[in-house]
Amino acid sequence: MILSALLDLAYLVVTDMELSVEQAAELRELAHSRDVPADLATRARIVLWLGEGRRRKDIAELLGVSLPTVDRWKTRYGQRGLAGLEGDRPGAPREQVPARARARVIALTRMTPPAGTGLSHWSTRELAKYVKRTENVTVSWHYIARIWREENLKPHRNGTFKISKDPAFADKVADVIGLYLDPPGGAVVLSVDEKTQVQALDRTQPVLPVTFAATEKRTHDYVRHGTTNLFAALNVATGEAIGECKPNRNGRNFLAFLKKAVKPHAGKEIHVVLDNLSTHTTPEVKEWLSKNPHVHFHFTTVGSSWLNQIEIWFGILTRQSIRRGTFASVNVLITQIRDYIDSWNSEAKPFTWTATTEEILAKVRLVQTNIKKLVANNSK
């Protein structure tokens, strides 16, 4: 009876205690900080809300805790202040991961997994097992994931690259970049290319809209209804695109499209950026160029289609219209491409090209140097 009375008295004293402005500010900082454990933030929120006059029952329900828990941390705070909210952590002190283990994780992540592992790339769990096996140091996959976030390492992702071996690489880069950043006055710059073998894919069952489980659903299998080839030109200054679908990609179809692309700009100097495809240099095309000296071809370097701005537009077209599309025939595919071009041109804006010739050449030289070092190290 005496013990019960003392506990009741202690509870009443704590409940009646009002928080000062400083105490409320400290608790509010703990409750909303991202740098403290979640359990500590919850305890601070319990005390803060009690100090604001909220009912114990409401606090317990909002935070998903029991009434004794609310009473416990209110009492602890009344007895010891913020230190009372830290609680008593059971068990021995946590053993820190050796610094060499962190360095090892970073070094392994930046290398291809050893041949004996049979892995093409690291995952957090596989790397944790490998470190345990080779270094006899136990690290969790959560620890490795945190290191990857801190060091901005993403071994689960990959990309592609290609170093151009064009002997005139620097000159061609300067030529094309010059058209983007400082085009001749009064001239028109067109970026031209073909997107070949665009497939008209049809799903075997109807596509379910977003309302089904909050995401659009489609079958994994499909039926091919044929392909088309998209010839396209992008006006670098305005962002407007012109496109035409053809059943075949050849010099004749390219020349026909080229005539259509330059026709709206009659009387102006026209500079056409394009790649080194053989269909762009057929005898018929060369003959047409000789009769139209106001049209000038500027070829990108071999293996560097990224220099051509129309490739950026092709990527956008693929993501927004083609990749997730369902087409019952090639004609349906062509119609959608035409509709997309019309929609694009209604609010066309040019791409903002910022990379200078010097920046591109410096980056390429750096990549070439790193590749040479990598090859030399692997040959040892």
Side-chain angles (χ1 to χ4, degrees):
M1 292 293 292
I2 296 175
L3 179 59
S4 177
L6 289 175
L7 290 176
D8 291 341
L9 177 60
Y11 170 72
L12 290 174
V13 171
V14 174
T15 302
D16 293 340
M17 183 182 64
E18 294 183 358
L19 298 175
S20 66
V21 176
E22 291 78 7
Q23 288 174 322
E26 290 175 343
L27 290 167
R28 193 173 293 110
E29 180 67 23
L30 278 179
H32 295 92
S33 176
R34 296 182 178 180
D35 299 325
V36 301
D39 54 355
L40 181 56
T42 299
R43 297 164 189 171
R45 192 169 285 111
I46 289 173
V47 179
L48 179 63
W49 285 356
L50 281 172
E52 293 174 351
R54 298 196 187 191
R55 297 189 306 172
R56 297 164 56 244
K57 179 180 178 181
D58 295 338
I59 294 174
E61 184 176 351
L62 287 171
L63 296 179
V65 298
S66 63
L67 288 175
T69 298
V70 175
D71 297 340
R72 180 188 308 116
W73 296 113
K74 181 63 175 176
T75 303
R76 291 280 189 94
Y77 182 79
Q79 295 172 345
R80 300 173 56 193
L82 291 179
L85 299 182
E86 294 182 358
D88 301 321
R89 296 185 178 273
R94 186 175 181 181
E95 182 180 356
Q96 297 295 321
V97 178
R100 62 181 178 85
R102 177 185 175 91
R104 182 62 172 160
V105 167
I106 296 174
L108 286 169
T109 304
R110 289 175 172 163
M111 297 186 296
T112 303
T117 63
L119 299 172
S120 62
H121 63 283
W122 291 115
S123 68
T124 53
R125 289 175 173 81
E126 290 298 331
L127 184 51
K129 290 190 292 185
Y130 185 81
V131 171
K132 172 62 177 177
R133 187 167 64 250
T134 59
E135 303 291 329
N136 197 27
V137 176
T138 301
V139 295
S140 69
W141 69 269
H142 296 282
Y143 173 78
I144 294 177
R146 186 172 75 249
I147 292 178
W148 286 0
R149 288 193 299 269
E150 293 171 353
E151 299 294 330
N152 195 29
L153 299 171
K154 301 175 182 179
H156 59 288
R157 302 183 62 181
N158 68 344
T160 59
F161 81 99
K162 184 177 178 64
I163 300 291
S164 176
K165 297 182 179 180
D166 194 326
F169 179 82
D171 293 336
K172 290 182 178 180
V173 169
D175 181 32
V176 174
I177 299 302
L179 290 175
Y180 293 161
L181 298 180
D182 188 22
V188 176
V189 179
L190 299 179
S191 177
V192 177
D193 201 2
E194 303 93 14
K195 184 175 180 62
T196 60
Q197 300 296 305
V198 184
Q199 298 186 79
L201 301 181
D202 189 12
R203 301 294 164 175
T204 58
Q205 297 178 29
V207 176
L208 302 181
V210 175
T211 52
F212 285 79
T215 59
E216 185 180 81
K217 303 292 184 182
R218 65 187 64 238
T219 59
H220 67 278
D221 53 343
Y222 50 82
V223 178
R224 291 186 179 92
H225 292 296
T227 62
T228 188
N229 301 277
L230 173 62
F231 292 76
L234 179 77
N235 189 322
V236 172
T238 66
E240 292 180 332
I242 179 175
E244 191 171 29
C245 291
K246 299 285 188 179
N248 300 304
R249 182 186 68 173
N250 51 42
R252 183 183 60 190
N253 286 335
F254 168 72
L255 182 57
F257 173 74
L258 181 63
K259 293 177 181 179
K260 181 179 180 180
V262 303
K263 186 176 181 179
H265 311 290
K268 297 181 179 180
E269 291 292 314
I270 302 173
H271 297 268
V272 180
V273 178
L274 67 173
D275 61 24
N276 298 269
L277 198 65
S278 60
T279 54
H280 299 163
T281 55
T282 62
E284 293 79 9
V285 173
K286 292 180 178 179
E287 181 181 356
W288 181 84
L289 283 175
S290 65
K291 296 178 180 179
N292 294 271
H294 65 289
V295 179
H296 311 276
F297 277 9
H298 301 262
F299 294 99
T300 61
T301 57
V302 176
S304 302
S305 59
W306 48 268
L307 271 177
N308 205 342
Q309 288 195 23
I310 191 64
E311 295 291 348
I312 303 174
W313 186 83
F314 280 154
I316 297 173
L317 167 70
T318 301
R319 291 194 304 272
Q320 295 184 348
S321 181
I322 297 176
R323 182 173 295 154
R324 287 175 54 175
T326 301
F327 311 105
S329 66
V330 173
N331 288 334
V332 173
L333 170 62
I334 293 174
T335 299
Q336 179 151 322
I337 292 175
R338 289 172 179 169
D339 291 342
Y340 182 86
I341 293 175
D342 292 339
S343 176
W344 172 275
N345 289 335
S346 65
E347 298 181 0
K349 294 181 181 179
F351 297 122
T352 302
W353 190 278
T354 59
T356 64
T357 301
E358 292 74 17
E359 291 172 342
I360 292 175
L361 295 180
K363 187 173 182 179
V364 169
R365 285 194 294 269
L366 178 62
V367 172
Q368 289 174 331
T369 301
N370 290 337
I371 290 177
K372 289 180 181 178
K373 291 181 180 179
L374 181 62
V375 172
N377 291 335
N378 290 340
S379 62
K380 294 179 180 179

